Amino acid sequence: MSQLVDTPISKAKEASFSKKLDQFLVQLRDNNRATLEIRKEIDQLRKSNDRSYARAKKAVDALSK
């Protein structure tokens, strides 16, 4: 088994790690928000495409009769 080594870190290093972690969390939140917006836009485009396809199919069916 591996042993956990608990070495104390300085206050400056702790502050540096904390700041870096906060930056990563902000970046993660921003990326998550952007991803959600992109997915929402994709869903809207998919619905629009489905409606357009249904209208085009209906028009083609009407012309072929």
Short mmCIF file of all heavy atoms in Angstrom, two decimals:
data_model
loop_
_atom_site.label_atom_id
_atom_site.label_comp_id
_atom_site.label_asym_id
_atom_site.label_seq_id
_atom_site.Cartn_x
_atom_site.Cartn_y
_atom_site.Cartn_z
N MET A 1 0.83 -1.18 0.00
CA MET A 1 0.00 0.00 0.00
C MET A 1 0.87 1.24 0.00
O MET A 1 1.95 1.26 0.57
CB MET A 1 -0.87 0.03 1.25
CG MET A 1 -2.13 -0.74 1.13
SD MET A 1 -3.18 -0.29 2.52
CE MET A 1 -4.14 -1.74 2.57
N SER A 2 0.34 2.25 -0.64
CA SER A 2 1.09 3.50 -0.64
C SER A 2 0.73 4.31 0.60
O SER A 2 -0.38 4.25 1.10
CB SER A 2 0.78 4.29 -1.90
OG SER A 2 -0.56 4.67 -1.90
N GLN A 3 1.69 5.04 1.05
CA GLN A 3 1.47 5.88 2.23
C GLN A 3 1.21 7.31 1.78
O GLN A 3 1.82 7.79 0.82
CB GLN A 3 2.68 5.85 3.15
CG GLN A 3 2.86 4.54 3.86
CD GLN A 3 4.05 4.62 4.80
OE1 GLN A 3 5.01 5.33 4.54
NE2 GLN A 3 3.97 3.87 5.89
N LEU A 4 0.33 7.95 2.46
CA LEU A 4 0.03 9.34 2.18
C LEU A 4 1.02 10.20 2.96
O LEU A 4 1.14 10.07 4.18
CB LEU A 4 -1.40 9.68 2.60
CG LEU A 4 -1.85 11.11 2.38
CD1 LEU A 4 -1.84 11.45 0.89
CD2 LEU A 4 -3.24 11.30 2.95
N VAL A 5 1.71 11.04 2.24
CA VAL A 5 2.67 11.92 2.89
C VAL A 5 2.02 13.29 3.02
O VAL A 5 1.65 13.91 2.03
CB VAL A 5 3.97 12.01 2.07
CG1 VAL A 5 4.96 12.95 2.73
CG2 VAL A 5 4.57 10.63 1.87
N ASP A 6 1.86 13.72 4.23
CA ASP A 6 1.22 15.01 4.49
C ASP A 6 2.31 16.03 4.81
O ASP A 6 2.73 16.17 5.95
CB ASP A 6 0.24 14.87 5.65
CG ASP A 6 -0.60 16.11 5.83
OD1 ASP A 6 -0.65 16.93 4.89
OD2 ASP A 6 -1.20 16.26 6.91
N THR A 7 2.75 16.71 3.75
CA THR A 7 3.78 17.71 3.96
C THR A 7 3.11 19.08 4.04
O THR A 7 2.25 19.40 3.23
CB THR A 7 4.79 17.72 2.81
OG1 THR A 7 4.10 17.93 1.59
CG2 THR A 7 5.54 16.40 2.73
N PRO A 8 3.48 19.86 4.99
CA PRO A 8 2.89 21.19 5.11
C PRO A 8 3.35 22.08 3.96
O PRO A 8 4.49 21.97 3.50
CB PRO A 8 3.41 21.69 6.45
CG PRO A 8 4.61 20.88 6.75
CD PRO A 8 4.45 19.57 6.04
N ILE A 9 2.45 22.93 3.50
CA ILE A 9 2.83 23.88 2.45
C ILE A 9 2.74 25.29 3.03
O ILE A 9 1.99 25.54 3.97
CB ILE A 9 1.95 23.74 1.19
CG1 ILE A 9 0.46 24.01 1.51
CG2 ILE A 9 2.09 22.37 0.57
CD1 ILE A 9 -0.42 24.06 0.29
N SER A 10 3.48 26.15 2.41
CA SER A 10 3.51 27.53 2.91
C SER A 10 2.20 28.25 2.57
O SER A 10 1.46 27.84 1.69
CB SER A 10 4.69 28.28 2.29
OG SER A 10 4.47 28.46 0.91
N LYS A 11 1.96 29.32 3.29
CA LYS A 11 0.74 30.11 3.06
C LYS A 11 0.75 30.70 1.64
O LYS A 11 -0.28 30.77 0.99
CB LYS A 11 0.64 31.25 4.08
CG LYS A 11 0.42 30.77 5.49
CD LYS A 11 -0.98 30.23 5.65
CE LYS A 11 -1.20 29.82 7.11
NZ LYS A 11 -2.50 29.20 7.30
N ALA A 12 1.92 31.10 1.16
CA ALA A 12 2.02 31.67 -0.18
C ALA A 12 1.68 30.63 -1.24
O ALA A 12 0.95 30.90 -2.19
CB ALA A 12 3.42 32.21 -0.42
N LYS A 13 2.18 29.40 -1.05
CA LYS A 13 1.89 28.33 -2.00
C LYS A 13 0.42 27.95 -1.94
O LYS A 13 -0.22 27.68 -2.96
CB LYS A 13 2.77 27.12 -1.71
CG LYS A 13 3.18 26.38 -2.97
CD LYS A 13 4.18 25.32 -2.65
CE LYS A 13 5.50 25.55 -3.23
NZ LYS A 13 5.85 25.28 -4.54
N GLU A 14 -0.13 27.94 -0.74
CA GLU A 14 -1.55 27.63 -0.57
C GLU A 14 -2.41 28.69 -1.28
O GLU A 14 -3.37 28.36 -1.97
CB GLU A 14 -1.90 27.59 0.91
CG GLU A 14 -3.34 27.21 1.19
CD GLU A 14 -3.65 27.16 2.67
OE1 GLU A 14 -2.73 27.13 3.50
OE2 GLU A 14 -4.85 27.15 2.98
N ALA A 15 -2.04 29.95 -1.14
CA ALA A 15 -2.76 31.03 -1.80
C ALA A 15 -2.64 30.90 -3.32
O ALA A 15 -3.61 31.12 -4.06
CB ALA A 15 -2.25 32.38 -1.33
N SER A 16 -1.44 30.52 -3.78
CA SER A 16 -1.22 30.35 -5.21
C SER A 16 -2.08 29.22 -5.76
O SER A 16 -2.72 29.35 -6.81
CB SER A 16 0.25 30.06 -5.47
OG SER A 16 0.47 29.76 -6.82
N PHE A 17 -2.12 28.09 -5.05
CA PHE A 17 -2.95 26.96 -5.47
C PHE A 17 -4.42 27.33 -5.46
O PHE A 17 -5.18 26.99 -6.37
CB PHE A 17 -2.72 25.74 -4.56
CG PHE A 17 -1.41 25.05 -4.77
CD1 PHE A 17 -0.80 24.39 -3.72
CD2 PHE A 17 -0.77 25.04 -5.99
CE1 PHE A 17 0.41 23.74 -3.88
CE2 PHE A 17 0.44 24.40 -6.17
CZ PHE A 17 1.04 23.75 -5.12
N SER A 18 -4.83 28.06 -4.44
CA SER A 18 -6.22 28.47 -4.33
C SER A 18 -6.61 29.39 -5.48
O SER A 18 -7.69 29.24 -6.07
CB SER A 18 -6.45 29.16 -2.99
OG SER A 18 -7.78 29.56 -2.87
N LYS A 19 -5.74 30.33 -5.81
CA LYS A 19 -6.00 31.25 -6.91
C LYS A 19 -6.10 30.50 -8.23
O LYS A 19 -7.00 30.74 -9.03
CB LYS A 19 -4.89 32.30 -6.97
CG LYS A 19 -5.10 33.34 -8.04
CD LYS A 19 -3.97 34.37 -8.01
CE LYS A 19 -4.14 35.37 -9.14
NZ LYS A 19 -3.03 36.32 -9.19
N LYS A 20 -5.18 29.56 -8.45
CA LYS A 20 -5.17 28.78 -9.69
C LYS A 20 -6.44 27.92 -9.78
O LYS A 20 -7.05 27.82 -10.85
CB LYS A 20 -3.93 27.89 -9.71
CG LYS A 20 -3.55 27.40 -11.06
CD LYS A 20 -3.16 28.54 -11.94
CE LYS A 20 -2.06 28.11 -12.86
NZ LYS A 20 -1.86 29.04 -13.94
N LEU A 21 -6.83 27.34 -8.67
CA LEU A 21 -8.05 26.53 -8.64
C LEU A 21 -9.27 27.38 -8.96
O LEU A 21 -10.15 26.96 -9.73
CB LEU A 21 -8.21 25.85 -7.27
CG LEU A 21 -9.43 24.96 -7.10
CD1 LEU A 21 -9.43 23.82 -8.10
CD2 LEU A 21 -9.49 24.43 -5.68
N ASP A 22 -9.33 28.57 -8.40
CA ASP A 22 -10.44 29.48 -8.69
C ASP A 22 -10.48 29.84 -10.18
O ASP A 22 -11.55 29.89 -10.79
CB ASP A 22 -10.34 30.75 -7.86
CG ASP A 22 -10.68 30.52 -6.40
OD1 ASP A 22 -11.33 29.50 -6.08
OD2 ASP A 22 -10.29 31.37 -5.56
N GLN A 23 -9.32 30.06 -10.77
CA GLN A 23 -9.26 30.37 -12.20
C GLN A 23 -9.78 29.19 -13.03
O GLN A 23 -10.53 29.39 -13.98
CB GLN A 23 -7.83 30.71 -12.61
CG GLN A 23 -7.33 32.03 -12.09
CD GLN A 23 -5.85 32.25 -12.36
OE1 GLN A 23 -5.13 31.33 -12.76
NE2 GLN A 23 -5.39 33.48 -12.15
N PHE A 24 -9.37 27.98 -12.66
CA PHE A 24 -9.85 26.80 -13.37
C PHE A 24 -11.36 26.63 -13.23
O PHE A 24 -12.05 26.27 -14.19
CB PHE A 24 -9.13 25.54 -12.89
CG PHE A 24 -7.72 25.40 -13.39
CD1 PHE A 24 -6.72 24.99 -12.54
CD2 PHE A 24 -7.38 25.68 -14.70
CE1 PHE A 24 -5.40 24.86 -12.98
CE2 PHE A 24 -6.08 25.56 -15.15
CZ PHE A 24 -5.09 25.15 -14.30
N LEU A 25 -11.88 26.90 -12.04
CA LEU A 25 -13.32 26.77 -11.83
C LEU A 25 -14.09 27.80 -12.65
O LEU A 25 -15.14 27.49 -13.22
CB LEU A 25 -13.66 26.91 -10.35
CG LEU A 25 -13.24 25.72 -9.47
CD1 LEU A 25 -13.50 26.03 -8.01
CD2 LEU A 25 -13.99 24.46 -9.89
N VAL A 26 -13.59 29.02 -12.73
CA VAL A 26 -14.23 30.06 -13.54
C VAL A 26 -14.22 29.64 -15.01
O VAL A 26 -15.24 29.74 -15.71
CB VAL A 26 -13.53 31.42 -13.35
CG1 VAL A 26 -13.96 32.42 -14.41
CG2 VAL A 26 -13.81 31.96 -11.96
N GLN A 27 -13.08 29.12 -15.47
CA GLN A 27 -12.98 28.67 -16.85
C GLN A 27 -13.93 27.51 -17.12
O GLN A 27 -14.59 27.46 -18.17
CB GLN A 27 -11.54 28.26 -17.16
CG GLN A 27 -11.32 27.86 -18.60
CD GLN A 27 -9.88 27.47 -18.88
OE1 GLN A 27 -9.04 27.49 -17.98
NE2 GLN A 27 -9.58 27.13 -20.11
N LEU A 28 -14.03 26.59 -16.17
CA LEU A 28 -14.93 25.45 -16.31
C LEU A 28 -16.39 25.92 -16.39
O LEU A 28 -17.16 25.44 -17.24
CB LEU A 28 -14.75 24.48 -15.14
CG LEU A 28 -15.58 23.21 -15.16
CD1 LEU A 28 -15.23 22.36 -16.36
CD2 LEU A 28 -15.38 22.44 -13.87
N ARG A 29 -16.77 26.86 -15.53
CA ARG A 29 -18.14 27.40 -15.58
C ARG A 29 -18.42 28.08 -16.91
O ARG A 29 -19.50 27.92 -17.49
CB ARG A 29 -18.35 28.38 -14.42
CG ARG A 29 -18.64 27.70 -13.12
CD ARG A 29 -19.05 28.73 -12.05
NE ARG A 29 -18.51 28.30 -10.77
CZ ARG A 29 -17.49 28.87 -10.14
NH1 ARG A 29 -16.92 29.93 -10.64
NH2 ARG A 29 -17.07 28.39 -9.00
N ASP A 30 -17.46 28.86 -17.40
CA ASP A 30 -17.63 29.55 -18.69
C ASP A 30 -17.78 28.54 -19.83
O ASP A 30 -18.64 28.69 -20.69
CB ASP A 30 -16.45 30.47 -18.97
CG ASP A 30 -16.42 31.69 -18.06
OD1 ASP A 30 -17.45 31.98 -17.41
OD2 ASP A 30 -15.36 32.35 -17.99
N ASN A 31 -16.95 27.51 -19.82
CA ASN A 31 -17.04 26.48 -20.85
C ASN A 31 -18.37 25.74 -20.77
O ASN A 31 -18.99 25.42 -21.80
CB ASN A 31 -15.89 25.49 -20.73
CG ASN A 31 -14.56 26.10 -21.13
OD1 ASN A 31 -14.52 27.16 -21.73
ND2 ASN A 31 -13.48 25.42 -20.80
N ASN A 32 -18.82 25.46 -19.55
CA ASN A 32 -20.09 24.77 -19.37
C ASN A 32 -21.24 25.62 -19.89
O ASN A 32 -22.14 25.13 -20.58
CB ASN A 32 -20.29 24.43 -17.89
CG ASN A 32 -21.48 23.54 -17.66
OD1 ASN A 32 -21.82 22.73 -18.50
ND2 ASN A 32 -22.12 23.71 -16.52
N ARG A 33 -21.22 26.91 -19.57
CA ARG A 33 -22.27 27.83 -20.03
C ARG A 33 -22.27 27.89 -21.56
O ARG A 33 -23.33 27.85 -22.19
CB ARG A 33 -22.04 29.21 -19.44
CG ARG A 33 -23.21 30.15 -19.60
CD ARG A 33 -22.99 31.48 -18.88
NE ARG A 33 -22.76 31.29 -17.45
CZ ARG A 33 -21.65 31.62 -16.81
NH1 ARG A 33 -20.63 32.15 -17.46
NH2 ARG A 33 -21.53 31.42 -15.51
N ALA A 34 -21.09 27.99 -22.17
CA ALA A 34 -20.99 28.06 -23.63
C ALA A 34 -21.51 26.77 -24.26
O ALA A 34 -22.21 26.80 -25.28
CB ALA A 34 -19.55 28.31 -24.05
N THR A 35 -21.19 25.63 -23.65
CA THR A 35 -21.65 24.34 -24.16
C THR A 35 -23.17 24.26 -24.11
O THR A 35 -23.81 23.80 -25.06
CB THR A 35 -21.02 23.19 -23.36
OG1 THR A 35 -19.61 23.27 -23.46
CG2 THR A 35 -21.48 21.84 -23.87
N LEU A 36 -23.76 24.70 -23.02
CA LEU A 36 -25.22 24.68 -22.89
C LEU A 36 -25.87 25.57 -23.94
O LEU A 36 -26.89 25.20 -24.54
CB LEU A 36 -25.64 25.10 -21.49
CG LEU A 36 -25.29 24.12 -20.37
CD1 LEU A 36 -25.65 24.72 -19.01
CD2 LEU A 36 -26.00 22.80 -20.57
N GLU A 37 -25.29 26.74 -24.19
CA GLU A 37 -25.83 27.63 -25.22
C GLU A 37 -25.72 27.01 -26.60
O GLU A 37 -26.65 27.12 -27.41
CB GLU A 37 -25.12 28.97 -25.17
CG GLU A 37 -25.45 29.80 -23.95
CD GLU A 37 -24.64 31.08 -23.84
OE1 GLU A 37 -23.99 31.47 -24.84
OE2 GLU A 37 -24.66 31.70 -22.77
N ILE A 38 -24.61 26.36 -26.88
CA ILE A 38 -24.42 25.71 -28.19
C ILE A 38 -25.42 24.58 -28.36
O ILE A 38 -26.03 24.42 -29.42
CB ILE A 38 -22.97 25.20 -28.34
CG1 ILE A 38 -22.03 26.39 -28.50
CG2 ILE A 38 -22.84 24.25 -29.51
CD1 ILE A 38 -20.55 26.04 -28.40
N ARG A 39 -25.63 23.79 -27.31
CA ARG A 39 -26.61 22.70 -27.39
C ARG A 39 -28.02 23.24 -27.62
O ARG A 39 -28.80 22.65 -28.37
CB ARG A 39 -26.57 21.85 -26.12
CG ARG A 39 -25.36 20.96 -26.07
CD ARG A 39 -25.38 20.09 -24.85
NE ARG A 39 -24.20 19.24 -24.79
CZ ARG A 39 -23.87 18.53 -23.75
NH1 ARG A 39 -24.59 18.57 -22.66
NH2 ARG A 39 -22.78 17.77 -23.79
N LYS A 40 -28.34 24.35 -26.96
CA LYS A 40 -29.66 24.95 -27.15
C LYS A 40 -29.83 25.40 -28.60
O LYS A 40 -30.87 25.18 -29.21
CB LYS A 40 -29.82 26.15 -26.21
CG LYS A 40 -31.21 26.78 -26.29
CD LYS A 40 -31.27 28.12 -25.60
CE LYS A 40 -31.38 28.03 -24.12
NZ LYS A 40 -31.57 29.35 -23.46
N GLU A 41 -28.79 26.02 -29.14
CA GLU A 41 -28.84 26.47 -30.53
C GLU A 41 -28.97 25.28 -31.49
O GLU A 41 -29.73 25.35 -32.47
CB GLU A 41 -27.58 27.27 -30.86
CG GLU A 41 -27.61 27.92 -32.22
CD GLU A 41 -26.39 28.78 -32.47
OE1 GLU A 41 -25.77 29.25 -31.50
OE2 GLU A 41 -26.05 28.97 -33.65
N ILE A 42 -28.26 24.20 -31.21
CA ILE A 42 -28.35 23.00 -32.05
C ILE A 42 -29.76 22.45 -32.02
O ILE A 42 -30.32 22.07 -33.06
CB ILE A 42 -27.33 21.94 -31.58
CG1 ILE A 42 -25.91 22.37 -31.96
CG2 ILE A 42 -27.65 20.57 -32.19
CD1 ILE A 42 -24.82 21.51 -31.36
N ASP A 43 -30.38 22.40 -30.84
CA ASP A 43 -31.76 21.91 -30.73
C ASP A 43 -32.71 22.79 -31.53
O ASP A 43 -33.61 22.28 -32.21
CB ASP A 43 -32.19 21.84 -29.27
CG ASP A 43 -31.53 20.71 -28.51
OD1 ASP A 43 -31.00 19.78 -29.15
OD2 ASP A 43 -31.55 20.75 -27.26
N GLN A 44 -32.54 24.11 -31.46
CA GLN A 44 -33.40 25.01 -32.21
C GLN A 44 -33.22 24.81 -33.72
O GLN A 44 -34.21 24.77 -34.47
CB GLN A 44 -33.09 26.46 -31.85
CG GLN A 44 -33.54 26.85 -30.47
CD GLN A 44 -33.06 28.25 -30.07
OE1 GLN A 44 -32.20 28.83 -30.72
NE2 GLN A 44 -33.60 28.76 -28.97
N LEU A 45 -31.98 24.66 -34.16
CA LEU A 45 -31.73 24.42 -35.58
C LEU A 45 -32.30 23.08 -36.03
O LEU A 45 -32.85 22.96 -37.14
CB LEU A 45 -30.22 24.47 -35.87
CG LEU A 45 -29.59 25.85 -35.78
CD1 LEU A 45 -28.07 25.74 -35.87
CD2 LEU A 45 -30.12 26.77 -36.86
N ARG A 46 -32.20 22.07 -35.18
CA ARG A 46 -32.75 20.75 -35.51
C ARG A 46 -34.27 20.82 -35.67
O ARG A 46 -34.83 20.27 -36.62
CB ARG A 46 -32.37 19.74 -34.43
CG ARG A 46 -32.77 18.32 -34.78
CD ARG A 46 -32.26 17.32 -33.76
NE ARG A 46 -30.81 17.21 -33.88
CZ ARG A 46 -29.96 17.28 -32.86
NH1 ARG A 46 -30.40 17.44 -31.64
NH2 ARG A 46 -28.67 17.19 -33.05
N LYS A 47 -34.94 21.53 -34.75
CA LYS A 47 -36.40 21.67 -34.85
C LYS A 47 -36.79 22.44 -36.11
O LYS A 47 -37.73 22.08 -36.81
CB LYS A 47 -36.94 22.40 -33.61
CG LYS A 47 -36.93 21.55 -32.37
CD LYS A 47 -37.40 22.34 -31.16
CE LYS A 47 -37.25 21.55 -29.89
NZ LYS A 47 -37.62 22.33 -28.70
N SER A 48 -36.04 23.50 -36.40
CA SER A 48 -36.31 24.28 -37.61
C SER A 48 -36.11 23.43 -38.86
O SER A 48 -36.92 23.48 -39.80
CB SER A 48 -35.38 25.49 -37.65
OG SER A 48 -35.54 26.19 -38.85
N ASN A 49 -35.07 22.63 -38.86
CA ASN A 49 -34.79 21.75 -39.99
C ASN A 49 -35.90 20.72 -40.15
O ASN A 49 -36.34 20.44 -41.27
CB ASN A 49 -33.44 21.05 -39.80
CG ASN A 49 -33.04 20.24 -41.00
OD1 ASN A 49 -33.21 20.68 -42.13
ND2 ASN A 49 -32.51 19.05 -40.77
N ASP A 50 -36.37 20.17 -39.04
CA ASP A 50 -37.46 19.18 -39.10
C ASP A 50 -38.73 19.80 -39.68
O ASP A 50 -39.43 19.18 -40.49
CB ASP A 50 -37.74 18.60 -37.71
CG ASP A 50 -36.63 17.69 -37.21
OD1 ASP A 50 -35.76 17.28 -38.02
OD2 ASP A 50 -36.62 17.39 -35.99
N ARG A 51 -39.03 21.04 -39.26
CA ARG A 51 -40.22 21.72 -39.79
C ARG A 51 -40.07 21.99 -41.29
O ARG A 51 -41.01 21.77 -42.06
CB ARG A 51 -40.47 23.02 -39.04
CG ARG A 51 -41.02 22.82 -37.64
CD ARG A 51 -41.49 24.14 -37.02
NE ARG A 51 -40.41 25.11 -36.89
CZ ARG A 51 -39.66 25.30 -35.80
NH1 ARG A 51 -39.89 24.56 -34.74
NH2 ARG A 51 -38.72 26.20 -35.78
N SER A 52 -38.90 22.43 -41.70
CA SER A 52 -38.65 22.70 -43.11
C SER A 52 -38.76 21.42 -43.93
O SER A 52 -39.33 21.42 -45.03
CB SER A 52 -37.27 23.33 -43.31
OG SER A 52 -37.21 24.58 -42.70
N TYR A 53 -38.22 20.35 -43.41
CA TYR A 53 -38.28 19.07 -44.11
C TYR A 53 -39.73 18.62 -44.26
O TYR A 53 -40.14 18.16 -45.34
CB TYR A 53 -37.48 18.00 -43.35
CG TYR A 53 -37.58 16.63 -43.97
CD1 TYR A 53 -36.84 16.30 -45.10
CD2 TYR A 53 -38.43 15.66 -43.44
CE1 TYR A 53 -36.94 15.05 -45.68
CE2 TYR A 53 -38.54 14.42 -44.01
CZ TYR A 53 -37.80 14.11 -45.13
OH TYR A 53 -37.91 12.87 -45.70
N ALA A 54 -40.52 18.76 -43.19
CA ALA A 54 -41.93 18.36 -43.24
C ALA A 54 -42.69 19.19 -44.28
O ALA A 54 -43.50 18.65 -45.04
CB ALA A 54 -42.57 18.50 -41.87
N ARG A 55 -42.44 20.50 -44.33
CA ARG A 55 -43.10 21.36 -45.33
C ARG A 55 -42.69 20.97 -46.75
O ARG A 55 -43.52 20.91 -47.65
CB ARG A 55 -42.77 22.82 -45.07
CG ARG A 55 -43.71 23.46 -44.08
CD ARG A 55 -43.41 24.93 -43.93
NE ARG A 55 -42.49 24.99 -42.80
CZ ARG A 55 -41.54 25.87 -42.61
NH1 ARG A 55 -41.34 26.82 -43.46
NH2 ARG A 55 -40.76 25.83 -41.58
N ALA A 56 -41.40 20.72 -46.95
CA ALA A 56 -40.92 20.35 -48.28
C ALA A 56 -41.51 19.00 -48.71
O ALA A 56 -41.92 18.84 -49.86
CB ALA A 56 -39.39 20.30 -48.29
N LYS A 57 -41.56 18.07 -47.78
CA LYS A 57 -42.12 16.75 -48.10
C LYS A 57 -43.61 16.87 -48.45
O LYS A 57 -44.08 16.23 -49.40
CB LYS A 57 -41.93 15.79 -46.93
CG LYS A 57 -42.40 14.40 -47.23
CD LYS A 57 -42.09 13.44 -46.12
CE LYS A 57 -42.56 12.07 -46.60
NZ LYS A 57 -42.67 11.09 -45.65
N LYS A 58 -44.32 17.70 -47.70
CA LYS A 58 -45.74 17.91 -47.97
C LYS A 58 -45.93 18.53 -49.35
O LYS A 58 -46.83 18.13 -50.09
CB LYS A 58 -46.32 18.82 -46.88
CG LYS A 58 -47.80 19.00 -46.95
CD LYS A 58 -48.28 19.85 -45.78
CE LYS A 58 -49.76 20.09 -45.83
NZ LYS A 58 -50.22 20.94 -44.73
N ALA A 59 -45.09 19.48 -49.71
CA ALA A 59 -45.18 20.12 -51.03
C ALA A 59 -44.88 19.12 -52.13
O ALA A 59 -45.58 19.10 -53.16
CB ALA A 59 -44.21 21.30 -51.09
N VAL A 60 -43.87 18.29 -51.96
CA VAL A 60 -43.54 17.28 -52.97
C VAL A 60 -44.67 16.27 -53.09
O VAL A 60 -45.04 15.89 -54.22
CB VAL A 60 -42.21 16.58 -52.62
CG1 VAL A 60 -41.98 15.35 -53.49
CG2 VAL A 60 -41.04 17.56 -52.76
N ASP A 61 -45.23 15.85 -52.00
CA ASP A 61 -46.35 14.90 -52.03
C ASP A 61 -47.55 15.53 -52.75
O ASP A 61 -48.23 14.84 -53.52
CB ASP A 61 -46.76 14.48 -50.62
CG ASP A 61 -45.74 13.55 -49.97
OD1 ASP A 61 -44.87 13.01 -50.69
OD2 ASP A 61 -45.79 13.38 -48.72
N ALA A 62 -47.81 16.80 -52.50
CA ALA A 62 -48.94 17.47 -53.16
C ALA A 62 -48.70 17.58 -54.66
O ALA A 62 -49.65 17.46 -55.44
CB ALA A 62 -49.14 18.85 -52.54
N LEU A 63 -47.47 17.83 -55.07
CA LEU A 63 -47.18 17.94 -56.50
C LEU A 63 -47.22 16.59 -57.21
O LEU A 63 -47.50 16.52 -58.40
CB LEU A 63 -45.80 18.58 -56.70
CG LEU A 63 -45.70 20.06 -56.38
CD1 LEU A 63 -44.24 20.51 -56.45
CD2 LEU A 63 -46.57 20.87 -57.33
N SER A 64 -46.92 15.53 -56.48
CA SER A 64 -46.87 14.21 -57.13
C SER A 64 -48.25 13.58 -57.27
O SER A 64 -48.39 12.58 -57.96
CB SER A 64 -45.95 13.28 -56.34
OG SER A 64 -46.50 13.02 -55.05
N LYS A 65 -49.25 14.18 -56.68
CA LYS A 65 -50.61 13.62 -56.80
C LYS A 65 -51.33 14.18 -57.98
O LYS A 65 -51.15 15.12 -58.56
CB LYS A 65 -51.40 13.91 -55.53
CG LYS A 65 -50.90 13.10 -54.36
CD LYS A 65 -51.75 13.36 -53.15
CE LYS A 65 -51.18 12.55 -51.98
NZ LYS A 65 -51.91 12.74 -50.76
#
